Amino acid sequence: MENNKKKLRILCLHGMAQNAILFEKQTSKFLQDLKDQVELVYIQGPHRVLDPELTSLVERATKVGELVPEEERPYAWWFIPKVKPMDSDGFFYGFRESIEYVQRVLLEQGPFDGILGFSQGACLTGCLAHMLDKRDFLIPADFPHPPLKFVISIGGFILSSQPATEPILFPITAEQKVQTPSMHVIGELDTIILPERSDALVDGFERPFVFRHPGGHFVPKTSGGRKSLSQFLSTIAQADQSQTAVTHE
């Protein structure tokens, strides 16, 4: 991709108990070769996390209080039932609010070419890819944002044990696979999101591009990871150029 080409706009979603500032720092090495090729927009989950490691509610509240630097405040996209109860419709606490929040971002700050997510943010990225691809669940057919050109999942997984989405998001049938091109970054030594959980997400996409690194649950900083990312985005740019050429014929 050349500098005079239009930059790809990517929405970036952090992991559980992180935030936009921290995630931007965590991804800086992974994305450093793309400075002239992409425009990155980092947002953070709408739900503050009360750290369960702290001994009292007062300490937990203080951790996310106004006197704590923004970089240290933890946020989430949703909470599992053992932290906060599900709603009456079978959604994890905060899940629908996060989908609605991202929809507003897509409309107010978009359009975006792709979404990049890590851990819980990667799980959300997968959900959004499915919703924007199928347009039959939570995101309607008339939602005024173009289809995504790609998604990038780092340490991602399929959202499971949420009754409201289990029969809908990422069913096993081949015809229901997400058509959006996807890149999946998987740590072979990941003990938080086991590789087989990430592989299950890979299987939900029609055209997955997989990069495996010999590490754990983190955003890779190696040249191999950067090279694979550049390779993936180059295929996206080429496909976009081909589509543009066909459109103008």
Side-chain angles (χ1 to χ4, degrees):
M1 286 183 282
E2 300 174 3
N3 289 343
N4 61 348
K5 299 287 177 60
K6 183 179 179 181
K7 290 184 177 182
L8 294 171
R9 302 193 72 239
I10 304 177
L11 181 64
C12 303
L13 310 179
H14 62 77
M16 175 68 175
Q18 297 181 338
N19 59 53
I21 297 173
L22 178 61
F23 191 45
E24 184 172 3
K25 292 183 178 181
Q26 288 180 325
T27 55
S28 61
K29 287 287 187 181
F30 184 57
L31 301 171
Q32 69 179 15
D33 295 343
L34 306 174
K35 291 180 180 178
D36 297 326
Q37 303 167 17
V38 300
E39 177 185 347
L40 305 170
V41 177
Y42 291 83
I43 62 172
Q44 61 197 21
H47 310 290
R48 288 190 178 185
V49 175
L50 301 183
D51 190 344
E53 297 299 320
L54 300 178
T55 58
S56 72
L57 288 175
V58 173
E59 289 178 308
R60 294 177 190 177
T62 301
K63 178 66 177 177
V64 294
E66 296 302 321
L67 298 180
V68 176
E70 189 65 29
E71 184 176 350
E72 297 179 12
R73 296 181 190 171
Y75 292 84
W77 301 102
W78 63 82
F79 297 98
I80 59 176
K82 71 177 183 179
V83 178
K84 290 191 176 185
M86 282 188 289
D87 67 23
S88 58
D89 293 324
F91 287 96
F92 289 158
Y93 182 95
F95 179 82
R96 281 194 292 192
E97 291 83 356
S98 288
I99 296 297
E100 293 168 358
Y101 169 54
V102 174
Q103 286 186 77
R104 291 196 300 272
V105 171
L106 291 175
L107 295 181
E108 294 170 5
Q109 301 185 44
F112 291 93
D113 297 293
I115 301 177
L116 177 152
F118 170 67
S119 196
Q120 191 187 55
C123 178
L124 179 58
T125 296
C127 294
L128 290 164
H130 190 283
M131 293 174 188
L132 287 165
D133 186 67
K134 306 303 179 186
R135 308 272 176 153
D136 60 1
F137 178 68
L138 294 185
I139 296 181
D142 60 355
F143 181 66
H145 187 282
L148 295 174
K149 296 176 182 177
F150 62 91
V151 292
I152 301 168
S153 168
I154 305 172
F157 56 96
I158 290 177
L159 184 63
S160 60
S161 303
Q162 180 174 241
T165 57
E166 262 193 318
I168 301 171
L169 295 181
F170 295 104
I172 299 174
T173 54
E175 61 269 19
Q176 287 298 315
K177 287 192 174 185
V178 177
Q179 300 299 309
T180 304
S182 61
M183 177 177 180
H184 303 261
V185 179
I186 301 173
E188 294 179 332
L189 299 180
D190 194 336
T191 58
I192 297 177
I193 302 299
L194 297 178
E196 51 263 38
R197 293 187 67 192
S198 292
D199 287 334
L201 180 61
V202 171
D203 290 340
F205 285 83
E206 182 66 30
R207 292 174 286 170
F209 177 96
V210 180
F211 171 72
R212 299 180 189 275
H213 63 87
H217 195 62
F218 54 77
V219 180
K221 300 179 181 180
T222 62
S223 59
R226 295 195 298 272
K227 183 177 179 180
S228 292
L229 177 61
S230 295
Q231 180 183 347
F232 172 70
L233 290 180
S234 291
T235 64
I236 299 302
Q238 291 167 9
D240 192 35
Q241 291 168 12
S242 298
Q243 182 62 40
T244 301
V246 170
T247 302
H248 288 108
E249 285 181 357

